[in-house]
Amino acid sequence: MKVLFWVLVAMGLQIPPASATDMLHIDLVPDATNPRSAQMGDNLIFHTQIRNDGAAAAEGLIVWISLIRIDQGAEQPVDLEDWSAQKAVTAASLAPGQSLSTDWPMRLIQAGSYRVLVSATSRNGAGLVASPFADFTVRQKPVVESNRVLPIAIGLPLLIAGGMIWQRRVN
């Protein structure tokens, strides 16, 4: 690697200094209390720690969470507004060696397989930094199907009322 550096220097090429986002590091960890087998209506929490490992401050830091559905044939980004998730966190500056911790609560509203990640950039950064993925699956919440319950809910009282009327006519 050193040889390549000196070859580039000898050729007169300049290597740009690392930007503030090049030195950011994001850890993403699901909360220990998250349900092992999540279903619709459950709440999950993800924790992040954004750390500046560089020599320069990251100015105008913006951090956001993204959710992606990864079911085969239904791959797409998810609108977090429906999932009651916090969308972004900002910080005026993140000094070298400093960390920013954030919790990302999320209410599960649709069954499927998902991938969550957290991204960051800064005003003085040259790019985007992303966390590792955290995958999870949401099970369908058991619900009562009206086409099974409605006939019984209406039919049983009608049957009882009909029996009572028939018994009064017989007596």
Side-chain angles (χ1 to χ4, degrees), residues 47 60 62 65 72 86 95 99 115 117 125 140 145 151 154 163:
H47 306 287
I62 304 164
I65 190 167
Q72 187 173 1
Q86 179 177 345
S99 293
R115 179 167 285 163
L117 70 125
Q140 183 76 32
E145 294 184 27
I154 293 173

Side-chain angles (χ1 to χ4, degrees), residues 162-171:
M164 291 173 65
I165 293 171
W166 180 75
Q167 190 163 13
R168 282 192 182 183
R169 283 191 171 183
V170 173
N171 290 338

Side-chain angles (χ1 to χ4, degrees), residues 3-26:
V3 173
L4 177 61
F5 172 78
W6 288 113
V7 168
L8 292 174
V9 169
M11 293 174 56
L13 298 175
Q14 293 184 2
I15 300 172
S19 71
T21 51
D22 293 338
M23 300 303 163
L24 292 176
H25 179 81
I26 303 174

Side-chain angles (χ1 to χ4, degrees), residues 37-117:
S37 180
Q39 70 177 11
M40 292 171 47
D42 286 347
N43 292 299
L44 298 182
I45 299 173
F46 295 92
H47 306 287
T48 56
Q49 183 177 36
I50 301 94
R51 192 175 60 251
N52 185 348
D53 292 332
E59 302 293 335
L61 184 67
I62 304 164
V63 183
W64 67 95
I65 190 167
S66 299
L67 181 64
I68 303 144
R69 186 166 183 185
I70 57 172
D71 289 315
Q72 187 173 1
E75 300 89 348
Q76 63 184 349
V78 176
D79 181 7
L80 288 173
E81 185 172 320
D82 299 335
W83 292 66
S84 305
Q86 179 177 345
K87 293 184 183 174
V89 171
T90 60
S93 181
L94 189 63
Q98 197 175 35
S99 293
L100 172 68
S101 295
T102 305
D103 294 337
W104 306 91
M106 185 180 303
R107 184 170 177 269
L108 308 179
I109 65 164
Q110 187 174 7
S113 296
Y114 295 91
R115 179 167 285 163
V116 66
L117 70 125

